[in-house]
Amino acid sequence: MSQKIQSIRGMNDLLPQDADVWQHLQAIAAEVFAAYGYRELRVPVVERTDLFKRAVGEVTDVVEKEMYTFEDRGGESLSLRPELTAGIVRAGIEHGLLYNQQQRVWSSGPVFRYERPQAGRYRQFHQLDVEAFGLPGPDVDIEIIALAARLWQRLGVSGFRLQINSLGTPESRLRYRAALTDYLRSHEAALDDDSQRRLASNPLRVLDSKVPATREIVTHAPSLLDHLDAESAEHFIALRRGLDLLGIGYQVNPRLVRGLDYYTRTVFEWTTDQLGAQDAVCAGGRYDGLVAHLGGASTPGIGFAIGMERLIALMNLQQAPVPAHAPQIYFCRFGLQAETAAVALAEQLRDEWPALRLVLNAGGGKLGAQLKRADASGARFALILGDDEAAQRTVQVKSLRGEGEPVSIGWPDLLQHLAPRLGLSATVPIDITE
RNA sequence: GUGGGCGUAGCUCAGUUGGUUAGAGCUCCGGAUUGUGAUUCCGGAGGUCGUGGGUUCGAGUCCCAUCGUCCACCCCA
């Protein structure tokens, strides 16, 4: 078993029986994004390592210990993308999309992080990403949060908790950091080991510690929101007012600190209590400094990423409705003449209804075996064409789902007969001439 | 990187204090007057018991290692 060829740890195959829900998610997401004027932007899976270091932050866990980094044959250090925003910003700058203009874009695809897999966490996972550039005001913050809310509604998933916070500007954050560090130092002995370490490297991270003793201390820590600059405070109030107006429920969580360095002002997170420990399904925020930091003209930005595996897990758990992709018709055929006639008939049906899902039996087999396959395929109707039918130029239409008795239909009438049963419209009478 | 649970047929699992040719259900294939599925009956195929060592007359069962997997921590979508 250990020598068997198998997939890389944490990198999963998507099997046909699970593909329907993914296709549905992608289709609905594309629709919702388009409904808000967002257009797709695709970027490579591999970028220069340096891009991610600069965008995500040198001292973050993602960069320090989770990136798949390698040298290409030219000796250049490349990395599999651990998130989508960095590549999108790079592409935006490179193609002049972010210079003095507004852009609304979305992207999706696999991202890679070298972590121990667990429920809702994989080494290759997939994100849906939405970004808006060149829009500094809270109106667009409200817009993308509303967009996410609409996506949940369209997909038929619920039970989320939306938490929001403001990190202010880099300057106000620095002032807060000083105040927080002072406070935490006065309780340093009581903090857990991890938090003591973070006190030096990234004190804001202590805020969302899960250790009870540390949480207790943090409860009385100075609040980030009390240290906001006037403009950020105003921005945050406008955001809250906008969400209230739309009737989108949220909780202000002053201890919500996002993991990546580039966030400024608005940050938010949609979580669920239905997926185990990895509860964040969608998270994002504003990153007004990132574009300039990566070498572009100073351009505000805001965006979020959805963990598709987590959202899919939630859809499955809540049994969100997903359109079936099972065939509508399974075409059974046997006998020399009949088999040939069936091919022509099947092709004519496909000509008439391009969206029709019809499986033509292949590999022979007795009628019983073919009907068994028909049933297993999930098809609603079986068409049966044997030598007897071929001689009479008819085909038997048989319901596999208890919708009446089998009937014999002449070839020219087949379209007319099937149309109402499958909710399709028939226009041209079928004509088979051999 | 740390900790815990679990690895027996394609899938879900039995397998008693170590004891003969390792079982069941589902799936698949075939059959029940030769052209009618999903129900029923009969039959068949399918397993180096994750891998490698060790203890023993004898190991799926005990011990060690290793790999895989699941869950949690760290962190994150």
Side-chain angles (χ1 to χ4, degrees):
Chain A
M1 208 62 157
S2 59
Q3 281 138 18
K4 237 181 197 169
I5 294 183
Q6 52 187 350
S7 70
I8 304 303
R9 181 207 295 271
M11 302 200 181
N12 303 123
D13 302 308
L14 175 66
L15 304 181
Q17 64 257 35
D18 303 318
D20 283 357
V21 61
W22 278 84
Q23 290 189 0
H24 182 239
L25 168 56
Q26 286 168 327
I28 296 295
E31 234 176 85
V32 172
F33 298 157
Y36 284 78
Y38 288 70
R39 303 177 71 192
E40 186 174 9
L41 171 63
R42 298 189 192 189
V43 293
V45 169
V46 177
E47 300 269 4
R48 289 200 173 78
T49 301
D50 190 49
L51 170 66
F52 299 121
K53 284 191 176 170
R54 281 167 68 189
V56 176
E58 296 258 15
V59 297
T60 56
D61 276 23
V62 168
V63 164
E64 277 183 337
K65 45 184 224 194
E66 294 175 3
M67 277 214 292
Y68 278 90
T69 297
F70 59 95
E71 269 191 13
D72 72 1
R73 288 170 185 274
E76 195 151 33
S77 179
L78 306 180
S79 293
L80 301 184
R81 59 186 183 192
E83 52 116 58
L84 295 173
T85 304
I88 291 170
V89 171
R90 191 227 83 227
I93 294 170
E94 189 169 328
H95 300 288
L97 304 181
L98 306 183
Y99 190 75
N100 197 27
Q101 54 186 304
Q102 302 176 351
Q103 289 290 347
R104 288 178 170 87
V105 299
W106 67 272
S107 196
S108 82
V111 297
F112 303 84
R113 294 184 195 174
Y114 189 86
E115 302 181 274
R116 287 286 285 271
Q118 72 185 69
R121 163 186 296 165
Y122 310 99
R123 288 185 172 181
Q124 173 177 319
F125 63 105
H126 298 76
Q127 290 189 334
L128 279 170
D129 208 69
V130 171
E131 316 277 359
F133 297 96
L135 295 159
D139 50 359
V140 74
D141 302 25
I142 296 161
E143 173 177 295
I144 71 165
I145 290 175
L147 184 158
R150 184 173 297 278
L151 181 59
W152 312 147
Q153 180 246 315
R154 285 290 310 277
L155 291 171
V157 292
S158 57
F160 286 108
R161 187 162 77 125
L162 170 63
Q163 299 182 80
I164 63 172
N165 192 24
S166 176
L167 301 179
T169 60
E171 296 73 37
S172 70
R173 200 154 143 195
L174 218 58
R175 283 199 305 276
Y176 172 67
R177 184 179 158 136
L180 178 66
T181 307
D182 282 350
Y183 169 81
L184 291 176
R185 284 217 187 287
S186 65
H187 295 81
E188 189 164 359
L191 294 174
D192 62 281
D193 293 350
D194 272 339
S195 295
Q196 290 192 16
R197 221 175 309 121
R198 290 194 204 112
L199 192 47
S201 61
N202 194 351
L204 294 207
R205 294 235 59 94
V206 177
L207 290 177
D208 55 9
S209 169
K210 287 178 183 171
V211 179
T214 302
R215 286 192 91 108
E216 177 60 24
I217 293 168
V218 162
T219 313
H220 302 100
S223 170
L224 188 54
L225 291 173
D226 295 335
H227 289 73
L228 291 184
D229 56 286
E231 226 177 304
S232 293
E234 206 174 299
H235 186 107
F236 193 55
I237 288 169
L239 166 63
R240 295 185 56 173
R241 198 181 303 128
L243 293 178
D244 290 339
L245 232 65
L246 287 171
I248 295 174
Y250 61 87
Q251 292 167 1
V252 175
N253 178 0
R255 292 188 297 283
L256 177 65
V257 181
R258 307 242 22 72
L260 313 182
D261 276 359
Y262 51 60
Y263 288 111
T264 54
R265 289 194 173 152
T266 306
V267 292
F268 58 91
E269 197 168 279
W270 298 84
T271 58
T272 172
D273 56 10
Q274 297 170 47
L275 292 182
Q278 306 308 319
D279 59 358
V281 173
C282 170
R286 181 164 280 284
Y287 45 87
D288 290 342
L290 181 61
V291 176
H293 183 62
L294 291 180
S298 179
T299 305
I302 182 169
F304 66 72
I306 292 169
M308 293 179 76
E309 279 80 359
R310 292 181 187 176
L311 183 51
I312 297 270
L314 209 55
M315 290 169 72
N316 289 335
L317 204 70
Q318 299 185 2
Q319 298 179 4
V322 172
H325 286 184
Q328 292 154 296
I329 293 177
Y330 191 100
F331 202 149
C332 305
R333 51 167 172 156
F334 50 92
L336 213 56
Q337 231 192 340
E339 293 200 21
T340 317
V343 178
L345 207 47
E347 286 303 325
Q348 290 197 19
L349 288 171
R350 295 187 180 114
D351 284 344
E352 179 64 20
W353 297 314
L356 177 68
R357 300 185 300 277
L358 180 152
V359 174
L360 180 60
N361 185 76
K366 297 167 44 174
L367 178 58
Q370 292 194 33
L371 280 168
K372 221 167 175 177
R373 292 175 200 153
D375 187 42
S377 76
R380 201 167 144 200
F381 294 100
L383 297 186
I384 299 168
L385 181 49
D387 289 331
D388 296 353
E389 286 82 359
Q392 300 166 38
R393 302 176 77 77
T394 63
V395 59
Q396 189 184 139
V397 179
K398 178 185 170 82
S399 165
L400 298 169
R401 312 291 154 207
E403 298 170 89
E405 293 303 304
V407 289
S408 181
I409 305 294
W411 289 348
D413 303 325
L414 186 56
L415 275 169
Q416 306 271 12
H417 178 80
L418 288 174
R421 285 167 177 72
L422 295 172
L424 304 161
S425 59
T427 54
V428 191
I430 268 197
D431 170 39
I432 287 194
T433 46
E434 280 164 73

